[in-house]
Amino acid sequence: FVCAQLPNPVLESISVIDTPGILSGEKQRISRGYDFAAVLEWFAERVDRIILLFDAHKLDISDEFSEVIKALKNHEDKMRVVLNKADQIETQQLMRVYGALMWSLGKIVNTPEVIRVYIGSFWSHPLLIPDNRKLFEAEEQDLFRDIQSLPRNAALRKLNDLIKRARLAKVHAYIISSLKKEMPSMFGKDNKKKELVNNLAEIYGQIEREHQISPGDFPNLKRM
């Protein structure tokens, strides 16, 4: 970690975390030395806002980026998307890029609501193609307002997180209780364990029906 402190009134109540960039192609096969998706998932549970950055002139959702977005499951309400460097392409091409981005995200992000995408060129240099200046300025202001509102909404988010964790703990208790009931008291424990693990999806379904629990409240099946 490298930490920087700046005398800015916005930063008095906000910390910005910039994660390592997403790798593509051959680089993905070389191990980072740690579970990148798991680290981002850890952060996702503790932050108020997640901003995914895309470049308009080289729009590509690599395998690693897909894995990262999937790791952010259940945090879709915190997610925003920035389509950066949009001044480097013409308006007509920008419309196509925006459409392609929404289509690609729709396949990965499992949410009924459309994710908010901010379009612009988020740096201090002059715009290369200034045709969409008003749009970029309006989008920049919207993004800034969204970030400014985070401290005010932090208490509500913490309450929602507490409720989410309580629901997960409740479901976890039902799962463990159900598994414990099925375990033999003396012999054949190892075989029974394997059988229960293989049938965990069915056990999920049974608990869901018996206790009227939403499927979204259950922990990740593969990890469990």
Side-chain angles (χ1 to χ4, degrees):
F1 284 92
V2 176
C3 184
Q5 288 184 300
L6 295 168
N8 187 301
V10 175
L11 296 173
E12 285 172 12
S13 51
I14 290 175
S15 296
V16 180
I17 299 164
D18 180 23
T19 62
I22 304 296
L23 303 178
S24 60
E26 280 295 314
K27 293 177 188 173
Q28 287 178 180
R29 297 176 192 172
I30 303 166
S31 174
R32 289 177 182 267
Y34 62 95
D35 191 336
F36 183 57
V39 171
L40 292 194
E41 190 177 352
W42 185 91
F43 275 116
E45 289 173 0
R46 290 158 175 80
V47 299
D48 294 293
R49 181 69 72 238
I50 301 162
I51 298 176
L52 303 175
L53 281 162
F54 292 89
D55 284 356
H57 68 292
K58 52 174 184 180
L59 185 62
D60 173 41
I61 300 182
S62 65
D63 294 341
E64 187 175 59
F65 209 167
S66 295
E67 288 303 310
V68 165
I69 296 171
K70 285 171 187 171
L72 302 177
K73 190 175 181 284
N74 298 327
H75 301 290
E76 288 89 351
D77 56 319
K78 298 178 183 178
M79 283 166 62
R80 301 289 184 271
V81 172
V82 167
L83 187 57
N84 196 21
K85 302 180 184 176
D87 65 321
Q88 298 187 16
I89 56 176
E90 300 283 351
T91 303
Q92 197 173 3
Q93 181 65 16
L94 181 58
M95 287 173 65
R96 292 197 188 102
V97 168
Y98 178 80
L101 175 62
M102 296 304 286
W103 185 77
S104 299
L105 287 172
K107 291 195 297 178
I108 305 168
V109 181
N110 185 24
T111 173
E113 294 177 10
V114 178
I115 288 183
R116 176 66 164 98
V117 177
Y118 299 95
I119 305 168
S121 183
F122 296 89
W123 64 347
S124 56
H125 298 275
L127 301 177
L128 289 177
I129 302 171
D131 299 2
N132 298 307
R133 182 183 298 279
K134 283 188 177 178
L135 170 66
F136 296 163
E137 287 173 355
E139 291 285 277
E140 190 175 320
Q141 285 301 311
D142 281 358
L143 177 59
F144 189 67
R145 275 194 290 269
D146 183 62
I147 294 168
Q148 269 191 319
S149 71
L150 293 176
R152 291 197 301 274
N153 300 329
L156 183 62
R157 185 197 64 77
K158 283 174 183 171
L159 182 62
N160 287 335
D161 278 357
L162 182 65
I163 293 165
K164 199 187 290 182
R165 287 174 72 89
R167 279 157 65 177
L168 185 62
K170 180 182 169 187
V171 172
H172 198 275
Y174 279 133
I175 294 166
I176 299 303
S177 174
S178 178
L179 294 174
K180 195 163 182 278
K181 279 180 198 169
E182 297 293 326
M183 285 296 288
S185 56
M186 293 186 70
F187 303 110
K189 286 187 176 183
D190 287 342
N191 289 333
K192 189 63 179 177
K193 260 186 206 174
K194 288 175 186 172
E195 184 191 322
L196 289 171
V197 167
N198 291 333
N199 295 330
L200 195 55
E202 291 174 26
I203 293 166
Y204 270 27
Q206 187 183 330
I207 294 168
E208 186 187 320
R209 290 188 298 274
E210 193 177 329
H211 299 283
Q212 301 294 303
I213 297 167
S214 167
D217 287 347
F218 283 81
N220 181 280
L221 181 65
K222 192 177 176 183
R223 183 181 296 171
M224 198 70 181

Coordinates of all heavy atoms in Angstrom, one line a residue, residues 115-180:
I115 N -27.1 -0.3 -14.3 CA -26.0 0.4 -13.6 C -25.8 1.7 -14.2 O -25.8 1.9 -15.4 CB -24.7 -0.5 -13.7 CG1 -24.9 -1.7 -12.9 CG2 -23.5 0.3 -13.3 CD1 -23.6 -2.6 -12.8
R116 N -25.6 2.7 -13.3 CA -25.3 4.1 -13.8 C -23.9 4.2 -14.4 O -22.9 3.8 -13.8 CB -25.4 5.1 -12.6 CG -25.1 6.5 -12.9 CD -26.1 7.1 -13.9 NE -26.1 8.6 -13.9 CZ -25.4 9.3 -14.9 NH1 -24.7 8.7 -15.8 NH2 -25.4 10.6 -14.8
V117 N -23.8 4.7 -15.6 CA -22.6 4.9 -16.3 C -22.3 6.4 -16.5 O -23.2 7.1 -17.1 CB -22.6 4.1 -17.7 CG1 -21.3 4.4 -18.5 CG2 -22.8 2.6 -17.5
Y118 N -21.2 6.8 -16.1 CA -20.8 8.2 -16.3 C -19.8 8.3 -17.4 O -18.8 7.6 -17.4 CB -20.1 8.8 -15.0 CG -21.0 8.7 -13.8 CD1 -21.0 7.7 -12.9 CD2 -21.9 9.8 -13.5 CE1 -21.8 7.7 -11.8 CE2 -22.7 9.8 -12.4 CZ -22.7 8.7 -11.5 OH -23.5 8.7 -10.4
I119 N -20.2 9.1 -18.4 CA -19.3 9.3 -19.6 C -18.6 10.6 -19.6 O -19.1 11.6 -19.2 CB -20.2 9.3 -20.9 CG1 -21.1 8.0 -20.9 CG2 -19.4 9.3 -22.2 CD1 -22.2 8.1 -22.0
G120 N -17.3 10.5 -19.9 CA -16.5 11.7 -19.8 C -15.0 11.5 -20.1 O -14.6 10.4 -20.5
S121 N -14.3 12.6 -19.9 CA -12.8 12.5 -20.0 C -12.3 13.1 -18.7 O -12.2 14.3 -18.5 CB -12.3 13.3 -21.2 OG -10.9 13.2 -21.3
F122 N -11.9 12.2 -17.7 CA -11.7 12.7 -16.4 C -10.2 13.0 -16.1 O -9.5 12.2 -15.4 CB -12.2 11.6 -15.4 CG -13.7 11.4 -15.5 CD1 -14.3 10.5 -16.4 CD2 -14.5 12.2 -14.7 CE1 -15.7 10.4 -16.4 CE2 -15.9 12.1 -14.8 CZ -16.5 11.2 -15.6
W123 N -9.7 14.0 -16.8 CA -8.4 14.5 -16.5 C -8.4 16.0 -16.9 O -9.4 16.6 -17.4 CB -7.3 13.8 -17.3 CG -7.4 13.8 -18.8 CD1 -8.4 14.3 -19.6 CD2 -6.4 13.4 -19.7 NE1 -8.2 14.2 -20.9 CE2 -6.9 13.7 -21.0 CE3 -5.1 12.9 -19.6 CZ2 -6.2 13.4 -22.2 CZ3 -4.4 12.6 -20.8 CH2 -4.9 12.8 -22.0
S124 N -7.3 16.7 -16.6 CA -7.3 18.2 -16.7 C -6.9 18.7 -18.1 O -6.8 19.9 -18.3 CB -6.3 18.7 -15.7 OG -5.0 18.2 -15.8
H125 N -6.5 17.8 -19.0 CA -6.1 18.2 -20.4 C -7.3 18.6 -21.2 O -8.4 18.2 -21.0 CB -5.3 17.1 -21.0 CG -4.1 16.6 -20.3 ND1 -2.9 17.3 -20.5 CD2 -3.9 15.7 -19.4 CE1 -2.0 16.7 -19.7 NE2 -2.6 15.7 -19.0
P126 N -7.0 19.4 -22.3 CA -8.1 19.9 -23.2 C -8.7 18.6 -23.9 O -8.0 17.7 -24.1 CB -7.4 20.8 -24.2 CG -6.1 21.2 -23.5 CD -5.7 20.1 -22.6
L127 N -10.0 18.7 -24.2 CA -10.7 17.6 -24.9 C -10.1 17.5 -26.4 O -10.0 18.5 -27.1 CB -12.2 17.8 -25.0 CG -12.9 18.0 -23.6 CD1 -14.4 18.3 -23.8 CD2 -12.7 16.7 -22.8
L128 N -9.9 16.3 -26.8 CA -9.4 16.0 -28.2 C -10.5 16.3 -29.2 O -10.3 17.0 -30.2 CB -8.9 14.6 -28.3 CG -7.6 14.2 -27.6 CD1 -7.3 12.8 -27.8 CD2 -6.4 15.1 -28.2
I129 N -11.7 15.8 -28.9 CA -12.9 16.0 -29.7 C -13.9 16.7 -28.8 O -14.6 16.0 -28.0 CB -13.4 14.7 -30.3 CG1 -12.4 14.0 -31.1 CG2 -14.7 15.0 -31.1 CD1 -12.7 12.6 -31.6
P130 N -14.1 18.0 -28.9 CA -14.9 18.8 -27.9 C -16.4 18.8 -28.2 O -17.2 19.5 -27.6 CB -14.4 20.2 -28.1 CG -13.9 20.3 -29.5 CD -13.5 18.9 -29.9
D131 N -16.9 17.9 -29.1 CA -18.3 17.9 -29.5 C -19.3 17.7 -28.4 O -20.4 18.3 -28.3 CB -18.6 16.9 -30.6 CG -17.8 17.1 -31.9 OD1 -17.0 18.0 -31.9 OD2 -17.9 16.3 -32.8
N132 N -18.9 16.9 -27.4 CA -19.8 16.5 -26.3 C -19.4 17.1 -25.0 O -19.6 16.6 -23.9 CB -19.7 14.9 -26.2 CG -20.2 14.2 -27.4 OD1 -21.3 14.5 -27.9 ND2 -19.4 13.3 -27.9
R133 N -18.8 18.3 -25.1 CA -18.3 19.0 -23.9 C -19.4 19.1 -22.8 O -19.2 18.8 -21.6 CB -17.8 20.4 -24.2 CG -17.2 21.1 -23.0 CD -16.7 22.5 -23.4 NE -15.7 22.5 -24.4 CZ -14.4 22.3 -24.1 NH1 -14.0 22.1 -22.8 NH2 -13.5 22.3 -25.0
K134 N -20.6 19.6 -23.2 CA -21.7 19.8 -22.2 C -22.1 18.5 -21.5 O -22.3 18.5 -20.3 CB -22.9 20.4 -22.9 CG -22.7 21.9 -23.2 CD -24.0 22.5 -23.7 CE -23.9 24.0 -23.9 NZ -25.1 24.6 -24.5
L135 N -22.2 17.4 -22.3 CA -22.5 16.1 -21.8 C -21.4 15.7 -20.7 O -21.8 15.3 -19.6 CB -22.6 15.1 -22.9 CG -22.7 13.6 -22.4 CD1 -24.0 13.4 -21.7 CD2 -22.5 12.7 -23.6
F136 N -20.2 15.8 -21.1 CA -19.1 15.4 -20.2 C -19.1 16.2 -18.9 O -18.9 15.7 -17.8 CB -17.7 15.6 -20.9 CG -17.5 14.7 -22.1 CD1 -16.5 15.0 -23.0 CD2 -18.3 13.6 -22.3 CE1 -16.3 14.2 -24.2 CE2 -18.2 12.8 -23.5 CZ -17.2 13.1 -24.4
E137 N -19.3 17.5 -19.0 CA -19.4 18.4 -17.8 C -20.5 18.0 -16.9 O -20.4 17.9 -15.7 CB -19.5 19.8 -18.2 CG -18.2 20.4 -18.8 CD -18.3 21.8 -19.4 OE1 -19.5 22.3 -19.4 OE2 -17.3 22.4 -19.8
A138 N -21.7 17.7 -17.5 CA -22.9 17.3 -16.7 C -22.6 16.0 -16.0 O -23.0 15.8 -14.8 CB -24.1 17.2 -17.6
E139 N -22.0 15.0 -16.7 CA -21.7 13.7 -16.2 C -20.7 13.8 -15.0 O -20.8 13.1 -14.0 CB -21.2 12.8 -17.3 CG -22.2 12.4 -18.3 CD -23.2 11.4 -17.9 OE1 -22.9 10.2 -17.9 OE2 -24.3 11.8 -17.4
E140 N -19.7 14.7 -15.2 CA -18.7 14.9 -14.2 C -19.3 15.4 -12.9 O -19.0 15.0 -11.8 CB -17.6 15.8 -14.7 CG -16.4 15.9 -13.8 CD -15.3 16.8 -14.4 OE1 -15.1 16.7 -15.6 OE2 -14.7 17.6 -13.6
Q141 N -20.2 16.4 -13.1 CA -20.9 16.9 -11.9 C -21.8 15.9 -11.2 O -21.9 15.8 -10.0 CB -21.8 18.1 -12.3 CG -21.0 19.4 -12.7 CD -20.2 19.9 -11.4 OE1 -20.7 20.0 -10.3 NE2 -18.9 20.1 -11.7
D142 N -22.5 15.0 -12.0 CA -23.3 14.0 -11.4 C -22.5 13.0 -10.6 O -22.8 12.6 -9.5 CB -24.0 13.2 -12.5 CG -25.2 13.9 -13.1 OD1 -25.6 15.0 -12.5 OD2 -25.9 13.4 -14.0
L143 N -21.3 12.6 -11.2 CA -20.4 11.7 -10.4 C -19.9 12.3 -9.2 O -19.9 11.7 -8.1 CB -19.2 11.3 -11.3 CG -18.1 10.4 -10.7 CD1 -18.7 9.1 -10.3 CD2 -17.0 10.2 -11.7
F144 N -19.5 13.6 -9.2 CA -19.0 14.3 -8.0 C -20.1 14.4 -7.0 O -19.8 14.2 -5.8 CB -18.5 15.7 -8.4 CG -17.8 16.4 -7.3 CD1 -16.6 16.0 -6.9 CD2 -18.4 17.5 -6.7 CE1 -15.9 16.6 -5.9 CE2 -17.7 18.2 -5.6 CZ -16.5 17.7 -5.2
R145 N -21.4 14.7 -7.4 CA -22.5 14.7 -6.4 C -22.7 13.4 -5.8 O -23.0 13.3 -4.6 CB -23.7 15.2 -7.1 CG -23.9 16.7 -7.2 CD -25.3 17.2 -7.6 NE -25.6 16.9 -8.9 CZ -25.3 17.7 -10.0 NH1 -24.8 18.9 -9.8 NH2 -25.6 17.3 -11.2
D146 N -22.6 12.3 -6.6 CA -22.7 11.0 -6.1 C -21.7 10.7 -5.0 O -22.0 10.1 -3.9 CB -22.6 9.9 -7.2 CG -22.9 8.5 -6.8 OD1 -24.0 8.2 -6.3 OD2 -21.9 7.7 -6.8
I147 N -20.4 11.0 -5.2 CA -19.4 10.8 -4.3 C -19.6 11.7 -3.0 O -19.4 11.2 -1.9 CB -18.0 11.1 -4.9 CG1 -17.7 10.0 -6.0 CG2 -16.9 11.0 -3.9 CD1 -16.6 10.4 -6.9
Q148 N -20.0 12.9 -3.2 CA -20.2 13.8 -2.1 C -21.4 13.3 -1.2 O -21.3 13.6 0.0 CB -20.6 15.2 -2.6 CG -19.5 16.2 -2.8 CD -19.9 17.6 -3.1 OE1 -20.9 17.8 -3.9 NE2 -19.3 18.6 -2.5
S149 N -22.3 12.6 -1.7 CA -23.5 12.2 -0.9 C -23.1 11.0 0.0 O -23.9 10.6 0.9 CB -24.6 11.8 -1.8 OG -24.4 10.6 -2.5
L150 N -22.0 10.3 -0.3 CA -21.6 9.1 0.4 C -21.6 9.2 2.0 O -22.1 8.4 2.7 CB -20.3 8.5 -0.1 CG -20.3 8.0 -1.5 CD1 -18.9 7.6 -2.0 CD2 -21.3 6.9 -1.7
P151 N -20.9 10.3 2.5 CA -20.9 10.4 4.0 C -22.3 10.5 4.6 O -22.5 9.9 5.7 CB -20.1 11.7 4.2 CG -19.2 11.8 3.0 CD -20.1 11.3 1.9
R152 N -23.2 11.2 3.9 CA -24.6 11.3 4.4 C -25.3 10.0 4.5 O -26.1 9.7 5.3 CB -25.4 12.3 3.6 CG -24.9 13.8 3.7 CD -26.0 14.7 3.2 NE -26.3 14.5 1.8 CZ -25.7 15.0 0.7 NH1 -24.6 15.8 0.9 NH2 -26.1 14.7 -0.5
N153 N -25.0 9.1 3.5 CA -25.7 7.8 3.4 C -25.0 6.7 4.0 O -25.4 5.6 4.0 CB -25.9 7.5 1.9 CG -26.8 8.6 1.2 OD1 -27.6 9.2 1.8 ND2 -26.5 8.8 -0.1
A154 N -23.8 7.0 4.7 CA -23.0 5.9 5.2 C -23.7 5.2 6.3 O -23.6 3.9 6.4 CB -21.7 6.5 5.8
A155 N -24.4 5.9 7.2 CA -25.1 5.2 8.3 C -26.2 4.3 7.8 O -26.3 3.1 8.3 CB -25.8 6.3 9.2
L156 N -26.9 4.7 6.8 CA -28.0 3.8 6.2 C -27.3 2.6 5.6 O -27.9 1.5 5.7 CB -28.8 4.6 5.1 CG -29.9 3.9 4.5 CD1 -31.0 3.5 5.5 CD2 -30.5 4.8 3.4
R157 N -26.2 2.8 4.9 CA -25.5 1.6 4.3 C -25.0 0.6 5.3 O -25.2 -0.6 5.2 CB -24.3 2.1 3.4 CG -23.6 1.0 2.7 CD -22.3 1.3 2.2 NE -21.3 1.6 3.3 CZ -20.7 0.6 4.0 NH1 -21.0 -0.6 3.8 NH2 -19.9 0.9 5.0
K158 N -24.5 1.2 6.5 CA -24.0 0.3 7.5 C -25.2 -0.5 8.1 O -25.0 -1.7 8.4 CB -23.4 1.1 8.6 CG -22.0 1.5 8.2 CD -21.4 2.5 9.3 CE -20.0 2.9 8.8 NZ -19.4 4.0 9.7
L159 N -26.4 0.1 8.2 CA -27.6 -0.6 8.7 C -28.0 -1.7 7.7 O -28.3 -2.8 8.1 CB -28.7 0.4 8.9 CG -30.0 -0.1 9.5 CD1 -29.8 -0.7 10.8 CD2 -31.1 0.9 9.5
N160 N -27.9 -1.4 6.4 CA -28.3 -2.3 5.4 C -27.3 -3.5 5.4 O -27.7 -4.7 5.3 CB -28.3 -1.7 4.0 CG -29.5 -0.8 3.8 OD1 -30.5 -1.0 4.5 ND2 -29.4 0.2 2.9
D161 N -26.0 -3.2 5.6 CA -25.0 -4.3 5.7 C -25.2 -5.2 6.9 O -25.0 -6.4 6.8 CB -23.6 -3.6 5.8 CG -23.0 -3.2 4.4 OD1 -23.7 -3.5 3.4 OD2 -21.9 -2.6 4.3
L162 N -25.6 -4.5 8.0 CA -25.9 -5.3 9.2 C -27.0 -6.3 9.0 O -27.0 -7.4 9.4 CB -26.2 -4.4 10.4 CG -26.4 -5.0 11.8 CD1 -25.2 -5.7 12.3 CD2 -26.9 -4.0 12.8
I163 N -28.1 -5.8 8.3 CA -29.3 -6.6 8.0 C -28.9 -7.7 7.1 O -29.3 -8.9 7.3 CB -30.4 -5.7 7.4 CG1 -30.9 -4.7 8.4 CG2 -31.5 -6.6 6.8 CD1 -31.8 -3.6 7.8
K164 N -28.0 -7.4 6.1 CA -27.6 -8.4 5.1 C -26.8 -9.5 5.8 O -27.0 -10.7 5.6 CB -26.7 -7.8 4.1 CG -26.5 -8.6 2.8 CD -25.5 -7.9 1.8 CE -26.0 -6.6 1.2 NZ -25.0 -6.0 0.3
R165 N -25.9 -9.1 6.7 CA -25.0 -10.1 7.5 C -25.9 -10.9 8.4 O -25.6 -12.1 8.6 CB -24.0 -9.3 8.3 CG -22.9 -8.8 7.4 CD -21.9 -7.9 8.2 NE -21.0 -8.7 9.1 CZ -19.9 -9.3 8.7 NH1 -19.4 -9.0 7.5 NH2 -19.2 -10.0 9.5
A166 N -26.9 -10.3 9.0 CA -27.8 -11.0 10.0 C -28.6 -12.1 9.2 O -28.7 -13.2 9.7 CB -28.7 -10.0 10.7
R167 N -29.1 -11.7 8.0 CA -29.8 -12.7 7.2 C -28.9 -13.8 6.7 O -29.3 -15.0 6.7 CB -30.4 -12.0 5.9 CG -31.7 -11.2 6.3 CD -32.0 -10.1 5.3 NE -32.2 -10.6 4.0 CZ -32.6 -9.8 3.0 NH1 -32.7 -8.5 3.2 NH2 -32.8 -10.2 1.8
L168 N -27.6 -13.5 6.4 CA -26.7 -14.6 6.0 C -26.4 -15.5 7.2 O -26.3 -16.7 7.0 CB -25.4 -13.9 5.5 CG -24.3 -14.8 4.9 CD1 -24.9 -15.6 3.7 CD2 -23.1 -14.1 4.5
A169 N -26.2 -14.9 8.4 CA -25.9 -15.7 9.6 C -27.1 -16.7 9.9 O -26.9 -17.8 10.3 CB -25.7 -14.8 10.8
K170 N -28.3 -16.1 9.7 CA -29.5 -16.9 9.9 C -29.6 -18.1 9.0 O -29.8 -19.3 9.4 CB -30.8 -16.0 9.7 CG -32.1 -16.7 9.9 CD -33.2 -15.7 9.7 CE -34.6 -16.4 9.6 NZ -35.6 -15.5 9.2
V171 N -29.3 -17.9 7.7 CA -29.4 -18.9 6.7 C -28.2 -19.9 7.0 O -28.4 -21.1 6.8 CB -29.2 -18.3 5.2 CG1 -29.0 -19.4 4.2 CG2 -30.4 -17.5 4.9
H172 N -27.1 -19.4 7.3 CA -25.9 -20.3 7.7 C -26.3 -21.3 8.8 O -26.0 -22.4 8.8 CB -24.7 -19.4 8.1 CG -23.4 -20.1 8.0 ND1 -23.0 -20.9 9.0 CD2 -22.5 -20.2 7.0 CE1 -21.8 -21.4 8.7 NE2 -21.5 -21.0 7.5
A173 N -27.0 -20.7 9.8 CA -27.4 -21.5 10.9 C -28.4 -22.6 10.5 O -28.3 -23.8 10.9 CB -28.1 -20.7 12.0
Y174 N -29.3 -22.3 9.6 CA -30.3 -23.3 9.0 C -29.5 -24.4 8.3 O -29.8 -25.6 8.4 CB -31.3 -22.6 8.1 CG -32.4 -21.9 8.7 CD1 -32.8 -20.7 8.3 CD2 -33.2 -22.6 9.8 CE1 -33.9 -20.0 8.9 CE2 -34.2 -21.9 10.4 CZ -34.6 -20.6 10.0 OH -35.6 -20.0 10.5
I175 N -28.5 -24.0 7.5 CA -27.7 -25.0 6.7 C -27.0 -25.9 7.6 O -27.1 -27.2 7.5 CB -26.7 -24.3 5.8 CG1 -27.5 -23.5 4.7 CG2 -25.8 -25.3 5.1 CD1 -26.6 -22.5 3.9
I176 N -26.3 -25.4 8.6 CA -25.5 -26.2 9.5 C -26.4 -27.1 10.3 O -26.1 -28.3 10.5 CB -24.6 -25.3 10.5 CG1 -23.7 -24.4 9.7 CG2 -23.9 -26.2 11.5 CD1 -22.7 -25.2 8.8
S177 N -27.5 -26.6 10.8 CA -28.5 -27.4 11.5 C -29.0 -28.6 10.7 O -29.1 -29.7 11.2 CB -29.7 -26.5 12.0 OG -30.7 -27.3 12.6
S178 N -29.3 -28.3 9.4 CA -29.8 -29.3 8.5 C -28.8 -30.4 8.3 O -29.1 -31.6 8.3 CB -30.2 -28.7 7.2 OG -30.7 -29.6 6.3
L179 N -27.5 -30.0 8.1 CA -26.5 -30.9 7.9 C -26.2 -31.8 9.1 O -26.0 -33.0 9.0 CB -25.2 -30.2 7.5 CG -25.2 -29.5 6.1 CD1 -23.9 -28.7 6.0 CD2 -25.3 -30.4 5.0
K180 N -26.3 -31.1 10.3 CA -26.0 -31.9 11.5 C -27.1 -33.0 11.8 O -26.7 -34.0 12.3 CB -26.0 -30.8 12.7 CG -25.4 -31.4 14.0 CD -25.1 -30.2 14.9 CE -24.4 -30.7 16.2 NZ -25.4 -31.2 17.2

